[in-house]
């Protein structure tokens, strides 16, 4: 099914609202999911809807869980009370940007939360307030350390949002596993083999069968020992400081549909004028030019953040978003429900 | 020459003072260098002394450069005025810890700076104030992006300092190149070959000859594209926000001995009680236990931060520090100047 982003957003919001989600929260969640599809990360897009709906039914996402915010100076804490992750996270992003404008630096953490989707989706509050945002997310165990054979750490995420005057924000957004788990599940849904290096089977042996992930497999951490170092930094800031717990004590959303994940997030904001700094655009351009110059002949297809996403956004604007039939029928959408893009 | 840490510190401080460094600054710099040797990172130890002395003589490290600190709420800016990097950095670390205790979160940046050595060496102010510290450093271009052939980015550094009640702080400290440049230079000094993957020659071809680094070679960034993402985060926070410049505009200390490096640093502090969090020790133990459990048979020699450093500290306490003869004669130390450890 090929569908325009607008239609996909409307349909997703409607489906969430029918499941009992507050209509404005449903709009927010749908917008964040579709944003991931538009940016080319279908792993974090509406392919998550069936899971969210199952978790709402089972009670893992609590529809009566309304986020509660406490702020003391530049430190904001949001207790999500088990509600939809996106609602608490957008509240935290906004609160972080607000205190950052006041103090020059600010932070908002989330405890008692659920899955928040693609971190880059929280760029808007930072963009509007012209603050730089650094975001961490801790998830349940799916990643093996270097040379390890089982899933003991989160496929944690790390994101930097840098507003620019003349262009869309510069965004760096990655998971600390060799690949995001959703990308493996997407391959499973499309019945495709995955590249080598993405997954270990339940015995710790490398496999190209994506179904191994939810059968007890694990994703190797990216970058060996130094990648482990990065993920440990996220564990301390986005885990311990945010929610008092690291990934070994976070629940996996698929495996525990009836339970709140308890995953932690941290948003740190920096207001450049407080540091005597103006528009970040020229510095980002300088870095891109330097990197480009290091390829004497042909550069790789993607050598700088936002290139892949920029291409995907242009493509999806013209061609619409192509959803796997298996997903459409799993959610129960009718092919007649929407027009062509 | 085998020497005790105490003697090495005294000798180094004396040598710096004789070169015109203020005696208390000389003590500080010597302490930071020897700390790296003791922790097993000789690349960041007294092997840097000949370079520092040459830069002092040439004017790249300005002995009249006294750091100037400006604080507005939780944001501290330190202008190093081209003085020794360690002096500005310790001032920034202390100021960061101080504002962090007051506001719950705090930040100190350094502009106009020089080489600061091993970031973990700045743990003490965070340890004493019981604050978590996140530290970034941007250095001059020595690193190639994934698939690139030349040195266009800094071998930037990233460090997390987590005080614990019952133990020494938990520290994560790594460079965003496949290896720290100093480790390659140490191999050159010992006339050893380096492992594959550490270095590209001036034509971008992998080499095991460590002399290639300062002959126009480059170190590949760690972790491929995701490692590039990490180093870009450091560029924005430790570069743009700290000093208004990213690594392509930072000078390399060896190549430009007469010029201030202009490398930037950022210290971010978090006071756990402001986040409702107590001792980090149990969470770090939980992470270590989880990782250990993923090795069904033998774990790698080093599978968690501070293991290598802990072993090195114990060894050096008993056996003293073994310095290459080439280094000792380059600095001009007499073998009779010190007793055995």
């Amino acid at each position: 099914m090929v569908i325009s982003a607008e239609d996909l957003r409307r349909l997703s919001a409607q489906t969430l609202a029918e499941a009992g989600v507050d209509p404005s929260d449903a709009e927010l969640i749908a917008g964040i999911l579709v944003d991931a599809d538009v940016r080319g990360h279908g792993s974090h897009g509406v392919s998550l809807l069936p899971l969210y709906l199952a978790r709402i039914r089972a009670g893992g996402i609590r529809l009566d869980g309304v986020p509660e915010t406490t702020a003391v100076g530049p430190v904001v804490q949001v207790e999500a009370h088990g509600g939809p992750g996106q609602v608490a996270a957008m509240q935290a992003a906004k609160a972080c940007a607000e205190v950052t404008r006041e103090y020059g630096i600010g932070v908002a953490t989330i405890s008692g939360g659920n899955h928040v989707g693609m971190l880059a989706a929280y760029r808007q509050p930072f963009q509007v307030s012209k603050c730089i945002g650094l975001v961490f997310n801790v998830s349940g165990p799916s990643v093996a350390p270097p040379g390890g054979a089982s899933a003991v750490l989160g496929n944690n995420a790390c994101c930097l949002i840098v507003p620019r005057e003349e262009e869309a924000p510069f965004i760096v957004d990655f998971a600390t596993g060799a690949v995001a788990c959703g990308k493996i599940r997407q391959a499973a849904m499309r019945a495709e083999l995955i590249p080598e290096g993405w997954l270990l089977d339940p015995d710790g042996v490398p496999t190209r069968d994506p179904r191994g992930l939810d059968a007890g497999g694990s994703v190797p951490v990216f970058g060996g020992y130094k990648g482990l170092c990065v993920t440990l930094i996220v564990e301390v800031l986005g885990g311990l400081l945010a929610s008092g717990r690291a990934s070994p004590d976070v629940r996996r959303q698929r495996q525990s549909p009836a339970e709140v994940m308890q995953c932690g997030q941290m948003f740190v904001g920096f207001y450049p004028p407080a540091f005597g700094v103006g528009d970040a655009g020229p510095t980002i351009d300088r870095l891109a030019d330097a990197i480009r110059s290091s390829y004497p002949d042909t550069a790789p297809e993607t050598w700088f953040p936002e290139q892949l996403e920029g291409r995907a956004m242009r493509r999806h604007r013209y061609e619409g978003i192509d959803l796997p039939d298996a997903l459409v029928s799993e959610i129960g959408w009718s092919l007649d429900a929407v027009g062509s893009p």
Side-chain angles (χ1 to χ4, degrees), chain A:
Chain A
M1 177 166 116
V2 177
I3 181 171
S4 72
E6 290 68 34
D7 283 340
L8 186 54
R9 227 177 331 255
R10 202 175 51 236
L11 207 53
S12 303
Q14 194 182 313
T15 300
L16 284 162
E18 281 165 11
V21 178
D22 167 271
S24 77
D25 290 351
E27 295 261 351
L28 174 75
I29 299 166
I32 287 169
L33 293 177
V34 174
D35 185 44
D37 282 309
V38 169
R39 286 172 59 82
H41 296 289
S43 53
H44 290 68
V46 296
S47 69
L48 290 166
L49 262 185
L51 174 66
Y52 286 2
L53 296 171
R55 287 181 55 76
I56 289 170
R57 283 191 299 271
I61 296 176
R62 296 191 187 151
L63 296 186
D64 60 352
V66 177
E68 207 180 326
T69 297
T70 322
V72 179
V75 179
V76 179
Q77 290 180 278
V78 178
E79 165 54 49
H81 290 304
Q86 285 85 352
V87 178
M90 192 54 91
Q91 197 160 310
K94 285 179 179 165
C96 176
E98 204 170 299
V99 291
T100 299
R101 278 297 293 250
E102 187 175 346
Y103 290 93
I105 186 170
V107 60
T109 56
I110 303 172
S111 59
N114 271 309
H115 193 250
V116 303
M118 178 186 66
L119 296 184
Y122 301 93
R123 62 192 177 280
Q124 213 256 355
F126 294 94
Q127 205 173 336
V128 169
S129 63
K130 298 182 194 297
C131 293
I132 290 176
L134 178 66
V135 195
F136 300 116
N137 176 74
V138 164
S139 52
S142 63
V143 163
S150 55
V152 294
L153 295 172
N155 201 338
N156 302 329
C158 192
C159 175
L160 184 78
I161 298 160
V162 187
R164 287 183 285 198
E165 274 172 28
E166 307 284 326
E167 273 175 281
F170 173 71
I171 295 174
V172 175
D173 189 6
F174 64 97
T176 56
V179 65
C181 293
K183 297 216 175 357
I184 296 175
R185 291 198 186 94
Q186 237 187 353
M189 187 173 277
R190 295 181 192 268
E192 291 167 358
L193 288 181
I194 50 173
E196 278 173 39
W198 280 21
L199 189 62
L200 305 175
D201 74 11
D203 297 319
V205 178
T207 177
R208 295 193 56 201
D209 181 349
R211 294 168 303 177
L213 177 61
D214 289 315
S218 59
V219 178
V221 75
F222 95 99
Y225 181 77
K226 295 194 180 200
L228 178 68
C229 287
V230 174
T231 213
L232 288 172
I233 291 177
V234 179
E235 294 281 358
V236 170
L237 301 179
L240 170 65
L241 277 184
S243 66
R245 65 175 78 200
S247 63
D249 295 312
V250 169
R251 293 186 192 94
R252 295 180 70 182
Q253 55 178 347
R254 265 158 236 273
Q255 282 74 357
S256 307
E259 294 180 280
V260 175
M261 286 179 71
Q262 307 284 354
C263 52
Q265 290 86 29
M266 174 181 275
F267 294 80
V268 186
F270 303 88
Y271 184 48
F275 296 79
V277 173
D279 179 25
T283 302
I284 304 299
D285 292 346
R286 180 84 177 97
L287 286 163
D289 289 346
I291 292 174
R292 182 64 189 83
S293 76
S294 83
Y295 302 108
D297 306 313
T298 319
E301 199 191 339
T302 299
W303 51 267
F304 204 63
E306 289 300 288
Q307 290 175 330
L308 183 151
E309 291 77 9
R311 285 195 295 269
M313 286 189 272
R314 285 188 292 276
R315 194 175 64 241
H316 290 139
R317 202 166 295 140
Y318 288 104
E319 299 175 9
I321 293 159
D322 189 4
L323 300 177
D325 293 342
L327 173 65
V328 174
S329 64
E330 193 179 356
I331 305 178
W333 284 337
S334 148
L335 290 180
D336 308 328
V338 290
S340 45

